[in-house]
């Protein structure tokens, strides 16, 4: 799932646990948001930035998983270790009574087993189609993309579950986000036409003196740092165009796609405003009177971004840097 639906599912659950079991909110929200953002780099359907990059560049599902996905698994372990070290006192101080745990009945949360039994296989089919779309095209000549697969499965679900399309269009689809992305693409197109993107690409090459390893480090660490304060979607879109400009200039840019993808994803977790899923999760928390201060979150998130950025650069350097500079 994309990281925004993921936090929409998990945040209400987390809020119930925090309130009922009297858990400290900061460790659990930082961990959920960080893992949702890092996980966004794992597949082309996990995050808008990864989807845009894969779609624009022509990176396959398998390419993204085998490059970014492998590093995501490493970063997940690093993140868990970091969280345990930073929050060990708070977590050790938590005392949960068996009586409080006994009050929860997971089966009671399932309101319609028919949707569960049909919906999960439909989701699995959609993912399988995304994984095998290149093979399907080579065998049948039918070209599919992620948007067609997702919308097709959504339309089928409307028919099967008898939902009113008008109600779905009005209450389920987030038109604000759609128009937000439309505006972003217009802005990026303007930057390309005015040669701002080419200037950015040239500046990075000049700063790195043409050294591929230095350029990789700049993009990995720089993307992580900037994405904490600039929403990672517009930043990623701009940098995709910049790296494409480097490619047209004759530079070998394949490792830079993973540096950018991972850098923007892990950087998005560094502050409350780094990514859309952060804003969604913390906004839901605010409605339930759970306040997580900006600088308190930043004091935990920013060091983790730098640590994960360094780990990412080392892995990419070992995989692509030695003997390939």
């Amino acid at each position: 799932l994309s990281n925004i639906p993921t936090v929409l599912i998990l945040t209400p659950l987390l809020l119930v646990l925090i309130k009922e079991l009297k858990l400290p909110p900061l460790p659990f929200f930082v961990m959920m948001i960080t893992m949702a953002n890092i996980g966004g780099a794992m597949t082309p359907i996990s995050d808008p930035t990864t989807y845009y990059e894969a779609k624009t560049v022509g990176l396959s599902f398998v390419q993204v998983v085998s490059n970014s996905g492998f590093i995501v698994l490493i970063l997940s372990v690093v993140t868990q270790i970091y969280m345990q070290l930073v929050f060990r006192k708070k977590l050790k101080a938590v005392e949960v009574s068996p009586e409080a745990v006994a009050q929860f009945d997971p089966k009671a949360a399932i309101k319609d087993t028919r949707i569960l039994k049909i919906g999960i296989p439909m989701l699995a089919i959609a993912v399988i189609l995304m994984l095998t779309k290149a093979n399907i095209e080579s065998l049948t000549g039918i070209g599919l993309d992620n948007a067609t697969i997702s919308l097709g499965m959504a339309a089928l679900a409307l028919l099967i579950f008898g939902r009113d399309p008008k109600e779905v269009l009005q209450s389920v689809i987030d038109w604000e986000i759609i128009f937000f992305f439309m505006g972003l693409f217009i802005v990026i197109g303007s930057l390309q036409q005015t040669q701002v993107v080419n200037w950015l690409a040239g500046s990075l090459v000049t700063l790195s003196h043409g050294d591929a390893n230095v350029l990789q480090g700049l993009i990995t660490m720089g993307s992580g740092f900037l994405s904490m304060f600039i929403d990672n979607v517009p930043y990623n879109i701009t940098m995709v165009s910049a790296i494409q400009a480097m490619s047209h200039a004759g530079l070998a840019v394949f490792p830079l796609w993973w540096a950018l993808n991972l850098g923007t994803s892990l950087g998005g977790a560094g502050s409350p405003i780094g990514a859309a899923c952060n804003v969604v999760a913390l906004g839901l928390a605010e409605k339930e009177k759970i306040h997580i201060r900006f600088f308190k979150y930043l004091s935990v998130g920013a060091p983790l971004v730098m640590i994960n950025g360094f780990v990412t650069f080392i892995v990419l350097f070992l995989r692509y840097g030695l003997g390939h500079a």
Side-chain angles (χ1 to χ4, degrees):
L1 294 177
S2 177
N3 50 18
I4 295 175
T6 297
V7 298
L8 281 171
I9 293 168
L10 291 179
T11 300
L13 178 149
L14 191 56
L15 289 170
V16 170
L17 293 175
I18 287 170
K19 286 188 170 184
E20 297 295 328
L21 304 181
K22 296 179 174 57
L23 304 174
L26 184 63
F28 292 93
F29 268 97
V30 173
M31 188 64 179
M32 179 186 70
I33 289 171
T34 300
M35 294 305 297
N37 277 279
I38 292 175
M42 194 159 193
T43 75
I45 61 172
S46 305
D47 185 85
T49 58
T50 311
Y51 174 76
Y52 174 80
E53 187 174 319
K55 176 72 175 177
T56 305
V57 181
L59 301 170
S60 70
F61 197 103
V62 174
Q63 278 182 309
V64 176
V65 173
S66 60
N67 286 276
S68 288
F70 169 71
I71 301 175
V72 166
L73 296 178
I74 297 173
L75 297 180
S76 300
V77 175
V78 173
T79 299
Q80 182 64 245
I81 294 170
Y82 175 85
M83 294 293 182
Q84 294 294 335
L85 290 173
V86 171
F87 293 117
R88 63 187 183 279
K89 290 184 179 178
K90 281 190 175 183
L91 296 174
K92 283 184 178 179
V94 174
E95 293 182 4
V96 180
S97 66
E99 292 79 12
V101 176
Q103 292 177 2
F104 291 92
D105 180 13
K107 290 183 179 179
I110 301 172
K111 303 299 182 184
D112 191 331
T113 55
R114 178 171 170 266
I115 292 177
L116 182 71
K117 291 175 181 178
I118 298 174
I120 290 178
M122 289 180 71
L123 177 62
I125 291 169
V127 173
I128 290 168
L129 288 173
M130 291 175 189
L131 280 166
T132 59
K133 62 184 179 183
N135 305 90
I136 293 171
E137 185 172 8
S138 64
L139 291 172
T140 65
I142 300 172
L144 296 172
D145 58 32
N146 290 348
T148 303
I149 295 168
S150 300
L151 288 172
M153 199 59 68
L156 184 60
L158 285 177
L159 292 173
I160 292 174
F161 300 126
R163 293 292 299 273
D164 182 4
K166 183 179 178 180
E167 178 193 345
V168 171
L169 288 171
Q170 289 178 339
S171 61
V172 177
I173 296 175
D174 196 330
W175 293 104
E176 183 178 342
I177 289 178
I178 291 175
F179 282 102
F180 168 72
F181 279 108
M182 289 173 62
L184 278 181
F185 287 122
I186 293 170
V187 171
I188 297 305
S190 302
L191 292 176
Q192 290 174 327
Q193 290 294 322
T194 54
Q195 303 300 310
V196 172
V197 169
N198 288 336
W199 171 83
L200 176 61
S203 299
L204 285 170
V205 173
T206 302
L207 192 61
S208 65
H209 300 288
D211 188 304
N213 292 321
V214 175
L215 187 58
Q216 183 175 286
L218 285 172
I219 291 177
T220 304
M221 301 300 291
S223 297
F225 178 78
L226 292 173
S227 293
M228 287 192 289
F229 306 103
I230 303 171
D231 187 280
N232 57 7
V233 173
Y235 172 82
N236 181 272
I237 293 173
T238 304
M239 285 304 299
V240 164
S241 299
I243 295 175
Q244 284 180 317
M246 295 177 199
S247 176
H248 297 152
L251 288 175
V253 299
F254 187 73
L256 301 184
W257 296 125
W258 318 120
L260 175 63
N261 182 34
L262 288 154
T264 51
S265 292
L266 61 92
S271 80
I273 60 171
C277 66
N278 309 15
V279 178
V280 169
L282 296 176
L284 290 172
E286 286 285 338
K287 290 179 181 178
E288 297 298 323
K289 311 300 182 186
I290 294 176
H291 306 288
I292 296 176
R293 295 180 180 178
F294 183 93
F295 289 104
K296 187 67 176 175
Y297 184 107
L298 189 67
S299 67
V300 176
L304 180 59
V305 169
M306 295 297 104
I307 292 169
N308 278 337
F310 182 72
V311 171
T312 299
F313 169 70
I314 293 298
V315 176
L316 289 174
F317 177 76
L318 293 174
R319 187 166 185 178
Y320 296 109
L322 295 174
H324 298 281

